[in-house]
Amino acid sequence: MTKSFSEDTLILNALSPGITSMTAVYSALTLFTNLKKDGDTSSRFNIIFFQEDGPNYLENFTLNPEYIIMALKSLEPAIVKGNVGGGIFLGIAILIDVFKKISEKSFRLIILTDSGTPKISKLYLPVLETMIDQIKNMPFFMDIIRIDIEDLEEDTKLMKLAGICNGSIYRINNVDSLPSILEILALKREVSSETKYNSKQISIPKENQQFYINLAEYPIELTRPETCSICGLKDYNAMVKCPNCGIVAHKICWALWTEESTIGIPHIFRCHNCYNLIKLEKDFIEKVKLAKKVKEAQILPQKNILDIKEYLESLETQDGPKIVHIHDPMGIPSEEFIEEGYNFNENREEEIATEDGEEVRFILCPHCFKMITNQYKRCPNCHRILKN
Ligand SMILES: [Zn+2]
Ligand SMILES: [Zn+2]
Ligand SMILES: [Zn+2]
């Protein structure tokens, strides 16, 4: 069985201003966003575009696509061609952040490239493949539009990346064909909803489950008497609260609630008040469910999850989202730097673990899933040990 979700679309603009007319891009993007809004009013948008010293994006996805065009226009003279590899990393990081807080969405990354767009460094590829494979279950789709580019080798590279998440490459001769491609891409992507847990989510294969388990947070344990937001009883014992919105519930009530809002892994679920991704111990949930079967449960989750459309509207700010500028796309050197013999060791933050002559590679930290190089003994992000 297939179905589709409301979509959050992130446009990655890696076009070169001297080569592709931005005016044509604005009208194509306006057509695209209008089609998406016509199809589903809860469609949201964001954009990544580059200045000389790093990328920009909107701090939040927005229901109002005019903010995308306004952001581009406001910085147009300073826009430069984009580092696609770094842009994909940044895009994935932005989307993972939204996934942790919002339910019932598909995530789309649409990449615009032309003949001035730099190639993706080979150093990026293995870790990009791993990341895309892991987030494809959110669900995530990446499509790449290539305007007037003759480069079979780069096409093959990009095709492989897009293929991991059921995405495609679209090759066009000039920007005039951009609207017709975006018209196709404005259609929602279908996902298979065959899962034994919850029809609102797709199933997550075993090998990718650890990634989602690590994204989820444990609720905070409380010691003072509080009222449970699920069963309505005031209690001293085993009360926990959501680390994001602070809503309080019995741990056991939340364990029973998991079936209603699991993401496809039984002990990973969403808060009924704010959609935050939460986890409880696997054993605890199994015990609670077993007890429920043996004896009729005294406590049943009465609370319905809040309406996603109303929730998305409540997140919009009156003046629109701010433009965020970061200096270095994920601290990753571009192809040019690598070819000129960029010295990774000068940028180290922790002990270096690579032996002389060992090739420096990008890896994902197995604990926090941040992208790092293989030269660290401890992860510079979560500080856990990577190797002896
Ligand atoms: Zn309760
Ligand atoms: Zn919450
Ligand atoms: Zn880490």
Side-chain angles (χ1 to χ4, degrees), residues 179-195:
S180 59
I181 299 298
L182 286 176
E183 211 171 311
I184 298 166
L185 289 176
L187 294 171
K188 279 189 182 180
R189 299 300 302 261
E190 291 201 326
V191 294
S192 160
S193 65
E194 272 179 65
T195 155

Side-chain angles (χ1 to χ4, degrees), residues 97-362:
D97 236 39
V98 179
F99 172 80
K100 281 160 75 175
K101 301 268 182 277
I102 301 285
S103 158
E104 294 170 50
K105 279 273 182 191
S106 281
F107 297 95
R108 304 276 304 268
L109 180 61
I110 296 178
I111 307 173
L112 308 177
T113 60
D114 63 21
S115 56
T117 305
K119 294 174 195 227
I120 297 187
S121 161
K122 286 187 192 74
L123 285 175
Y124 288 151
L125 289 175
V127 70
L128 270 179
E129 284 166 18
T130 310
M131 286 182 99
I132 293 169
D133 183 59
Q134 272 160 343
I135 69 164
K136 69 171 191 263
N137 305 116
M138 289 194 322
F140 166 79
F141 304 94
M142 180 172 90
D143 295 288
I144 303 158
I145 301 177
R146 315 268 287 149
I147 305 175
D148 192 25
I149 306 172
E150 290 292 335
D151 186 344
L152 203 60
E153 198 192 332
E154 193 67 6
D155 282 352
T156 311
K157 241 195 255 173
L158 293 172
M159 208 121 62
K160 193 174 171 202
L161 291 180
I164 297 169
C165 55
N166 287 317
S168 298
I169 302 270
Y170 298 85
R171 300 179 68 231
I172 52 178
N173 292 331
N174 63 62
V175 72
D176 297 339
S177 309
L178 186 57
S180 59
I181 299 298
L182 286 176
E183 211 171 311
I184 298 166
L185 289 176
L187 294 171
K188 279 189 182 180
R189 299 300 302 261
E190 291 201 326
V191 294
S192 160
S193 65
E194 272 179 65
T195 155
K196 60 182 171 175
Y197 303 118
N198 189 329
S199 63
K200 286 176 187 163
Q201 301 293 345
I202 62 170
S203 53
I204 298 175
K206 264 219 148 47
E207 63 273 20
N208 284 352
Q209 290 192 358
Q210 193 57 42
F211 171 76
Y212 294 90
I213 292 168
N214 288 5
L215 284 184
E217 295 175 281
Y218 282 112
I220 299 161
E221 307 215 348
L222 300 173
T223 46
R224 55 179 192 277
E226 294 273 4
T227 304
C228 172
S229 61
I230 293 175
C231 71
L233 295 176
K234 192 164 181 168
D235 207 341
Y236 292 85
N237 290 318
M239 303 298 285
V240 291
K241 74 172 181 182
C242 168
N244 186 51
C245 71
I247 194 126
V248 175
H250 284 103
K251 199 171 164 184
I252 195 166
C253 284
W254 247 351
L256 291 169
W257 168 256
T258 55
E259 259 175 86
E260 300 295 318
S261 68
T262 174
I263 63 160
I265 303 168
H267 61 299
I268 310 297
F269 62 105
R270 292 194 183 272
C271 169
H272 56 284
N273 192 51
C274 75
Y275 293 107
N276 192 39
L277 206 55
I278 295 176
K279 60 185 160 191
L280 289 173
E281 299 82 5
K282 207 173 165 184
D283 297 355
F284 180 76
I285 294 207
E286 276 161 13
K287 262 186 233 157
V288 169
K289 285 187 179 157
L290 206 65
K292 188 188 162 196
K293 263 183 211 154
V294 173
K295 193 180 142 204
E296 276 303 299
Q298 300 297 305
I299 309 159
L300 284 170
Q302 299 295 323
K303 180 91 186 166
N304 280 326
I305 203 153
L306 75 162
D307 181 76
I308 183 77
K309 282 189 181 171
E310 280 172 27
Y311 185 64
L312 293 178
E313 272 159 28
S314 77
L315 295 178
E316 292 286 312
T317 48
Q318 200 138 46
D319 313 322
K322 285 192 199 71
I323 299 173
V324 179
H325 178 73
I326 57 172
H327 277 284
D328 189 11
M330 316 297 283
I332 298 308
S334 69
E335 178 107 312
E336 290 88 40
F337 276 128
I338 290 161
E339 279 166 4
E340 284 163 19
Y342 178 86
N343 186 352
F344 288 95
N345 295 356
E346 277 174 11
N347 287 24
R348 70 182 178 183
E349 289 167 15
E350 298 268 329
E351 295 167 82
I352 303 301
T354 38
E355 306 292 327
D356 280 346
E358 191 184 338
E359 196 191 349
V360 176
R361 287 176 293 111
F362 291 104

